Amino acid sequence: MIRLNVFIRTAASERAELLRAAKELVAASRADEGCIAYDLFESATRPDVLMICETWRDAEALAAHERTAHFAALVPQLKRLGELKAEKFAC
């Protein structure tokens, strides 16, 4: 299994739009083949920080996810609206 924690820092003026795009990405990605979990978390102490936590069956499933239309459309939006930092772990 592969786990990704994607931290997103955004400005207050961009937060609502970023949250909308992130929720859309989560909903679409949960249906991807090999997706074990895909969740969005909001920091309880920092309103400018969110995290997407992804778990994939294997590298092939993650690679296929990265080729989907929803990934291609929504990840650039997230990058435009915030600063992303990803941590990748093999489980």
Side-chain angles (χ1 to χ4, degrees):
M1 283 192 301
I2 296 173
R3 163 72 56 91
L4 283 157
N5 293 329
V6 181
F7 296 91
I8 309 167
R9 190 173 67 184
T10 189
S13 61
E14 305 289 1
R15 189 176 191 284
E17 187 178 354
L18 186 138
L19 194 54
R20 181 208 53 78
K23 286 180 178 180
E24 187 177 339
L25 178 63
V26 168
S29 299
R30 284 183 173 163
D32 289 347
E33 178 69 29
C35 179
I36 295 170
Y38 208 104
D39 297 291
L40 175 65
F41 298 95
E42 298 179 58
S43 173
T45 57
R46 294 193 49 194
D48 62 327
V49 176
L50 299 109
M51 182 180 78
I52 296 175
C53 184
E54 313 171 29
T55 306
W56 296 95
R57 179 187 60 224
D58 52 31
E60 291 79 17
L62 176 56
H65 163 68
E66 292 173 346
R67 292 188 301 269
T68 62
H70 55 270
F71 186 93
L74 295 167
V75 171
Q77 287 183 39
L78 296 179
K79 289 180 178 179
R80 180 179 53 81
L81 297 166
E83 179 184 334
L84 280 66
K85 177 184 172 192
E87 298 175 341
K88 187 175 181 180
F89 306 92
C91 303

